[in-house]
């Protein structure tokens, strides 16, 4: 009992208090869209504005995806102007960047941009190293709300945590000095133990090389993949990192994420075509439960209906946006599992506390065959005390499947095919879809909005074991809800709502 209440008190302190950077941003993981995964360097005003129309029309802004981020390759190929200022490529951005941010702001979006803490960006345009103040001022003048700040061409200023910290801190300070409140997303791919210092100067920090559209396939370009997947000191982080590699990398320090500062698992690949539907569901749920920033990475103007029904599941997004603001952690990893086509075989159970006392559980099978997975309540509640000491272990828990009310594919097809924004809005309304602009997730969770709680599919008795058959390359995503004991005042409510003396 004491443990439960002290944990709740800690959670309150974190939310009411401060993250180290303390700029009031990213209290829950930021959400939005970034062009890189689908378009790379093929950027333009037209791409950004047609995409923002689409995010709005599909109800995605109102599910929380409110940052529109322009990645690398927006800059003039000739570099800085005569005053040393960055300038956009006018053939791509004929009206300049301020007009884009004005347009996005008028639609209720926030505008994200990109640079690198190097002499060049990764695509070899002018970088911001040693130009931090000038460039921060440009970003502020352009109405930028977020900066993704990469680490290519760093001129050797890397290799120890303090060297990297100071290189990135220069931009963090310059952004703050502009007086505009700009969210800073560091992207140094986990180098120099960024998970130990990123929260001091930024709102999120990338923990691996770039993701690619594969669930488990190892690739040499994702450094250390073959050698030691859990190595936090992995060098040459590179690209081509699978979903499995990324979650293995973050597992030892998943608990470092706090409101205001999050481990960034990279943009989403959902809808890009390289994974199966089940793999994309697992990818999306893991990114939500592990509190990564949730940046869509696909072409939203040409999206399979199934992808739409993954990214718009409010019961999964509610894990990401839960006010408690702590990542799920891995409570179990089994490697004695049938191998898949890449020679990979492992299963994980991730678990995490939620604000209302519920417990999220993701059981994921990275192996080659369907698996009968098991995890005890004692393991699920291990953060509250090992060896079954957690008081939670003494209660029965209802098991809710958070994919149960996924939007039907036919509804998604109608929404995607609807000829006007008004018709789309009418279809979403008819489907009773969630609108977080109307009911913020914190409120929906407090009020037990059924759209956020999936469907009850079973019960685990006190001291018992949760058993699920999990398909190969798939995840089961659950919310455990405490069942009140006979005579309890708040029937069916979560553990934190029950009078203390009844625990
Ligand atoms: C969501 O709710 C807001 C506020 O009521 C409203 O302006 C917006 O149009 C709604 N979104 C959709 C997609 O219906």
């Amino acid at each position: 009992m004491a443990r439960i209440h002290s944990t709740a008190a800690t959670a309150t302190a974190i939310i009411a208090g401060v993250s180290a950077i303390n700029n009031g941003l990213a209290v829950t993981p930021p959400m939005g869209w970034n062009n890189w995964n689908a378009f790379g360097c093929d950027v333009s005003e037209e791409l950004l504005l047609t995409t923002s129309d689409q995010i709005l029309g599909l109800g995605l802004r109102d599910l929380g995806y409110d940052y529109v981020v322009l990645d690398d390759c927006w800059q003039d190929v000739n570099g800085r102007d005569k005053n040393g200022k960055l300038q956009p490529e006018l053939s791509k951005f004929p009206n300049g960047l301020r007009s884009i941010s004005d347009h996005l702001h008028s639609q209720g979006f926030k505008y994200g941009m990109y640079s690198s803490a190097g002499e060049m960006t990764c695509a070899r345009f002018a970088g911001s190293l040693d130009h931090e103040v000038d460039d921060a001022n440009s970003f502020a003048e352009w109405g930028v709300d977020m900066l993704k700040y990469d680490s290519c061409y760093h001129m050797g200023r890397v290799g120890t945590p303090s060297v990297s910290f100071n290189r990135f801190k220069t931009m963090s300070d310059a952004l703050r000095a502009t007086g505009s409140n700009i969210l800073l997303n560091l992207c140094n791919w986990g180098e120099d133990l960024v998970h130990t210092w990123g929260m001091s100067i930024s709102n999120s920090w990338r923990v691996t090389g770039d993701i690619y559209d594969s669930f488990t396939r190892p690739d040499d370009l994702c450094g250390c993949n073959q050698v030691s997947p859990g190595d936090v000191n992995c060098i040459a982080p590179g690209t081509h990192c699978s979903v499995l590699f990324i979650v293995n990398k973050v597992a030892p320090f998943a608990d470092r994420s706090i409101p205001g500062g999050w481990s960034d698992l990279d943009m989403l690949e959902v809808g890009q075509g390289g994974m199966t539907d089940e793999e994309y569901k697992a990818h999306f749920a893991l990114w939500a439960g592990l509190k990564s920033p949730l940046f869509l990475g696909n072409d939203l103007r040409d999206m399979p209906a199934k992808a739409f029904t993954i990214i718009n599941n409010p019961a999964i997004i509610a894990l990401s946006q839960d006010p408690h603001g702590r990542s799920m952690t891995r409570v179990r990893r089994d490697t004695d599992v049938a191998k898949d086509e890449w020679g990979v075989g492992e299963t994980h159970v991730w678990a995490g506390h939620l604000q209302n006392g519920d417990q999220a559980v993701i059981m994921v099978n990275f192996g080659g065959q369907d698996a009968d997975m098991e995890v005890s309540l004692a393991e699920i509640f291990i953060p509250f005390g090992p060896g079954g000491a957690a008081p939670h272990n003494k209660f029965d828990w209802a098991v809710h499947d958070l994919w149960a009310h996924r939007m039907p594919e036919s509804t998604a097809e109608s929404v995607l095919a609807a000829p006007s924004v008004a018709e789309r809005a009418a279809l979403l309304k008819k489907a009773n879809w969630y609108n977080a602009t109307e009911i913020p997730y914190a409120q929906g969770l407090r009020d037990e909005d059924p759209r956020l709680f999936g469907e009850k599919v079973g019960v685990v008795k006190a001291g018992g074991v949760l058993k699920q058959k999990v398909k190969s390359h798939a995840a089961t995503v659950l919310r455990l809800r405490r069942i009140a004991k006979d005579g309890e005042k708040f029937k069916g409510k979560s553990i934190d709502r029950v009078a203390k003396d009844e625990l």
Side-chain angles (χ1 to χ4, degrees):
M1 183 177 91
R3 275 200 197 91
I4 290 179
H5 289 285
S6 65
T7 302
T10 309
T12 312
I14 287 165
I15 286 152
V18 293
S19 65
I21 186 171
N22 196 21
N23 60 5
L25 299 172
V27 174
T28 56
M31 298 173 63
W33 176 83
N34 173 307
N35 68 266
W36 184 258
N37 286 356
F39 297 94
C41 271
D42 192 11
V43 293
S44 65
E45 171 177 313
E46 199 240 338
L47 172 65
L48 294 181
L49 298 189
T50 51
T51 299
S52 74
D53 286 349
Q54 188 76 344
I55 302 174
L56 199 57
L58 293 177
L60 294 170
R61 184 203 67 183
D62 292 320
L63 282 167
Y65 298 100
D66 61 356
Y67 282 91
V68 175
V69 183
L70 169 58
D71 208 287
D72 205 351
C73 307
W74 57 267
Q75 309 87 336
D76 189 313
V77 69
N78 296 312
R80 294 172 182 276
D81 71 11
K82 60 181 186 330
N83 300 316
K85 297 278 197 178
L86 289 174
Q87 44 186 344
E89 169 63 51
L90 287 180
S91 65
K92 296 173 180 170
F93 302 97
N95 301 302
L97 298 174
R98 181 78 215 192
S99 97
I100 292 184
S101 79
D102 288 345
H103 187 100
L104 292 175
H105 290 152
S106 76
Q107 291 179 311
F109 289 107
K110 296 173 219 164
Y111 176 39
M113 277 196 69
Y114 168 97
S115 191
S116 178
E119 61 184 320
M120 294 187 286
T121 67
C122 295
R124 299 195 293 282
F125 292 90
S128 292
L129 189 61
D130 300 333
H131 295 271
E132 289 86 355
V133 171
D134 268 343
D135 293 357
N137 287 334
S138 295
F139 296 135
E141 281 162 26
W142 291 328
V144 167
D145 302 292
M146 163 181 163
L147 180 66
K148 173 178 171 182
Y149 200 40
D150 222 330
S151 194
C152 284
Y153 301 102
H154 50 53
M155 304 180 82
R157 294 187 219 172
V158 67
T160 70
S162 66
V163 167
S164 284
F165 175 83
N166 288 328
R167 179 162 52 95
F168 284 97
K169 182 173 187 293
T170 312
M171 180 56 91
S172 179
D173 291 344
L175 290 174
R176 182 172 292 248
T178 67
S180 297
N181 208 8
I182 298 176
L183 185 151
L184 181 56
N185 168 226
L186 292 195
C187 183
N188 82 333
W189 325 301
E191 286 184 336
D192 289 341
L193 306 177
V194 66
H195 64 281
T196 64
W197 50 263
M199 63 290 284
S200 303
I201 54 171
S202 73
N203 297 105
S204 60
W205 48 89
R206 274 277 296 286
V207 298
T208 65
D210 288 1
I211 191 171
Y212 82 145
D213 195 7
S214 170
F215 198 56
T216 63
R217 184 186 170 277
D219 190 295
D220 283 338
L221 288 180
C222 178
C224 318
N225 209 356
Q226 318 285 348
V227 188
S228 51
D231 181 2
V232 294
N233 283 309
C234 164
I235 55 163
T239 60
H240 289 196
C241 296
S242 69
V243 166
L244 173 61
F245 178 85
I246 293 171
V247 299
N248 275 339
K249 182 83 190 288
V250 79
F253 54 85
D255 61 343
R256 297 306 175 98
S257 285
I258 49 173
W262 310 97
S263 289
D264 181 357
L265 311 189
D266 206 359
M267 283 94 69
L268 294 155
E269 294 285 3
V270 180
Q272 296 264 70
M275 293 190 229
T276 66
D277 185 56
E278 287 298 331
E279 289 172 339
Y280 279 141
K281 283 165 63 187
H283 167 35
F284 186 66
L286 285 163
W287 263 231
L290 275 58
K291 311 284 181 178
S292 174
L294 281 184
F295 282 87
L296 305 169
N298 60 320
D299 184 353
L300 298 175
R301 304 162 311 173
D302 180 19
M303 173 168 44
K306 280 193 158 164
F308 181 46
T309 66
I310 292 174
I311 63 177
N312 79 358
N313 182 339
I316 304 289
I317 300 172
L319 296 181
S320 159
Q321 301 298 305
D322 189 273
H324 183 55
R326 304 308 298 259
S327 171
M328 296 171 80
T329 55
R330 189 164 64 193
V331 296
R332 190 169 172 140
R333 180 188 189 192
D334 290 295
T335 52
D336 184 15
V337 168
K339 302 257 185 286
D340 72 1
E341 61 180 311
W342 307 113
V344 171
E346 58 185 272
T347 59
H348 301 176
V349 180
W350 294 77
H353 187 64
L354 299 166
Q355 179 78 6
N356 66 356
D358 291 355
Q359 189 83 348
V361 176
I362 299 180
M363 302 170 84
V364 52
N365 178 2
F366 293 102
Q369 283 173 19
D370 298 357
D372 290 308
M373 290 183 64
E374 291 190 2
V375 61
S376 64
L377 287 182
E379 285 174 293
I380 288 171
F381 290 106
I382 207 121
F384 297 95
H392 307 69
N393 206 20
K394 299 191 180 69
F395 294 101
D396 298 345
W397 293 81
V399 179
H400 286 240
D401 172 8
L402 297 183
W403 283 110
H405 296 159
R406 182 180 180 185
M407 177 183 273
E409 202 176 340
S410 56
T411 307
E413 277 163 0
S414 312
V415 173
L416 289 167
S420 71
V421 170
E423 282 162 273
R424 285 180 163 178
L427 286 166
L428 290 167
K429 200 173 169 68
K430 189 156 156 259
N432 189 28
W433 217 244
Y434 199 79
N435 182 336
T437 306
E438 224 160 56
I439 310 173
Y441 289 103
Q443 185 190 334
L445 289 166
R446 212 165 43 236
D447 297 347
E448 312 246 333
D449 189 309
R451 293 170 292 185
L452 304 181
F453 291 88
E455 182 76 34
K456 183 175 166 187
V457 293
V459 169
V460 187
K461 291 286 188 191
V465 174
L466 172 62
K467 298 181 182 179
Q468 294 283 313
K469 192 169 198 68
V470 184
K471 284 184 269 183
S472 167
H473 282 213
T476 300
V477 185
L478 307 168
R479 182 185 267 270
L480 268 50
R481 316 210 70 208
R482 192 172 80 74
I483 299 171
K485 289 191 169 173
D486 282 351
E488 270 179 359
K489 215 168 152 193
F490 303 101
K491 283 223 182 298
K493 299 291 186 193
S494 60
I495 199 163
D496 287 349
R497 297 184 176 205
V498 178
K500 283 178 197 174
D501 55 3
E502 289 182 302
L503 281 178

